[in-house]
Amino acid sequence: MSVTTSVAAAPETAPVRAGPGLWQRVRGLLLALIVPLLLLAFWHYAVKAGMTRLIPSPAEVAEYMVDFAVGGIWDDAFSATLHIHLLASMSRVYGGFALAALVAVPLGILIGRNETVRALLDPFLQLMRPIPVTAWLPLSMILFGLGPKSAFFLVFLGAFYPILLNTVFGVRSVEKRLFEAASMLGCTGSAQFARVVLPGALPSIFTGLRLGLGLAWFVIVVGEMTGVPQGLGAVIMDGRTLSRTELVICGMIVIGIAGFVSDRIVVMLMNRLLRWSPSHHG
């Protein structure tokens, strides 16, 4: 008598996607440093070779950046004032950006979903959109006076249109098949907004938020030309007036770093909220 023994095969497990290893992270960091280091090298040798006499060397800018942050080197009116000007600019950038997002996202969803609202508002908004923020500078000083209110308004204006347009695009790009599938599953009416429209439009909304926040940091220099005593834009304008190029470059560097960190925060939030999406890879 023969005995047949059957061995059940162990079920195959789905491969686990490993996160980026240490080498990938180091490699990414090294690649990201190539262009800045090449630029610094070109800057250093251009100044050393006498190609320009008005721009200080990277070492001189680094020395002034230390004084700008903690003082103890030049001891002038700008020494150890970095935190004061950075916080002043951050309050205007984040305040204007938050207000722009609070207005532009709901308005974009409404324009994207409602034909009547789109016919009513879209022509006017498209007419106003090409007007540059700098053109609003005199009018903002008339409406809000000299000071932080004008800067706040200009930042709001700079961030508003990228958020609005990307929100409208995201809402209108949601496939109609998703609405049909949701209706077949019993999701109708206002419930489709939370379960179909908003998830489908989120990638475009976050793209608009990133663009709007970047433009908010871009516009802050123009906004702080309205007579504010503190802020990175005010520092850059003072540096230009005083012919202190190192001060102008320090202000530019701080704005670049602050804008980069702000963008990374938005990206982290986007990756967290969109981790459910198979088309989003972080």
Side-chain angles (χ1 to χ4, degrees), residues 25 39 55 69 75 81 90 101-102 122 125 131 151-152 161 178 187 207 215 228 234 240 242 275:
R25 295 180 181 179
L39 178 61
I55 297 179
D75 292 329
T81 59
M90 286 175 60
L102 287 175
D122 190 64
L125 293 173
I131 301 176
F152 188 92
Y161 286 105
L178 296 178
C187 179
T207 299
L215 280 174
V228 296
R240 186 196 68 171
L242 299 171
R275 63 180 183 270

Side-chain angles (χ1 to χ4, degrees), residues 8-43:
E12 295 184 359
T13 58
V16 179
R17 180 180 296 177
L22 178 61
W23 165 242
Q24 284 78 6
R25 295 180 181 179
V26 173
R27 180 176 179 272
L29 179 61
L30 293 176
L31 289 175
L33 289 175
I34 289 176
V35 174
L37 290 177
L38 288 176
L39 178 61
L40 283 175
F42 174 77
W43 177 8

Side-chain angles (χ1 to χ4, degrees), residues 37-62:
L37 290 177
L38 288 176
L39 178 61
L40 283 175
F42 174 77
W43 177 8
H44 170 76
Y45 286 109
V47 174
K48 188 175 180 180
M51 295 173 62
T52 175
R53 298 180 180 179
L54 299 178
I55 297 179
S57 67
E60 293 171 333
V61 173

Side-chain angles (χ1 to χ4, degrees), residues 5-279:
T5 306
S6 62
V7 180
E12 295 184 359
T13 58
V16 179
R17 180 180 296 177
L22 178 61
W23 165 242
Q24 284 78 6
R25 295 180 181 179
V26 173
R27 180 176 179 272
L29 179 61
L30 293 176
L31 289 175
L33 289 175
I34 289 176
V35 174
L37 290 177
L38 288 176
L39 178 61
L40 283 175
F42 174 77
W43 177 8
H44 170 76
Y45 286 109
V47 174
K48 188 175 180 180
M51 295 173 62
T52 175
R53 298 180 180 179
L54 299 178
I55 297 179
S57 67
E60 293 171 333
V61 173
E63 180 183 14
Y64 196 82
M65 180 68 79
V66 173
D67 182 76
F68 188 33
V70 298
I73 300 177
W74 296 95
D75 292 329
D76 56 13
F78 298 99
S79 298
T81 59
L82 171 60
H83 64 286
I84 298 173
H85 297 292
L86 178 58
L87 289 175
S89 292
M90 286 175 60
S91 65
R92 293 162 194 147
V93 168
Y94 294 143
F97 167 75
L99 182 60
L102 287 175
V103 175
V105 172
L107 185 61
I109 293 173
L110 195 60
I111 293 174
R113 289 288 293 160
N114 192 295
E115 295 285 346
T116 303
V117 176
R118 182 161 59 253
L120 180 66
L121 294 179
D122 190 64
F124 171 75
L125 293 173
Q126 295 301 328
L127 177 67
M128 300 295 289
R129 183 171 62 89
I131 301 176
V133 175
T134 51
W136 287 92
L137 181 60
L139 189 59
S140 69
M141 290 189 288
I142 294 173
L143 293 174
F144 302 102
L146 298 176
K149 290 183 179 179
S150 295
F152 188 92
F153 169 74
L154 292 174
V155 170
F156 163 81
L157 205 60
F160 175 77
Y161 286 105
I163 301 174
L164 177 71
L165 293 177
N166 279 275
T167 301
V168 173
F169 173 78
V171 171
R172 299 198 66 185
S173 298
V174 178
E175 296 185 10
K176 294 182 179 180
R177 292 178 299 175
L178 296 178
F179 294 101
E180 298 172 358
S183 299
M184 293 175 60
L185 295 173
C187 179
T188 57
S190 59
Q192 289 187 349
F193 170 76
R195 301 196 175 186
V196 179
V197 177
L198 191 57
L202 266 182
S204 293
I205 292 175
F206 270 107
T207 299
L209 291 175
R210 293 182 65 186
L211 291 173
L213 186 55
L215 280 174
W217 281 108
F218 177 84
V219 171
I220 192 60
V221 177
V222 178
E224 291 178 341
M225 291 171 59
T226 56
V228 296
Q230 297 172 345
L232 296 172
V235 169
I236 292 175
M237 298 310 299
D238 289 340
R240 186 196 68 171
T241 303
L242 299 171
S243 298
R244 296 186 58 176
T245 314
E246 73 280 359
L247 187 60
V248 174
I249 297 175
C250 284
M252 293 168 60
I253 292 173
V254 175
I255 288 177
I257 294 174
F260 175 79
V261 173
S262 302
D263 181 72
R264 292 299 92 189
I265 293 173
V266 175
V267 170
M268 289 172 58
L269 180 61
M270 176 179 67
N271 290 338
R272 183 174 182 84
L273 292 179
L274 293 179
R275 63 180 183 270
W276 55 268
S277 175
S279 61

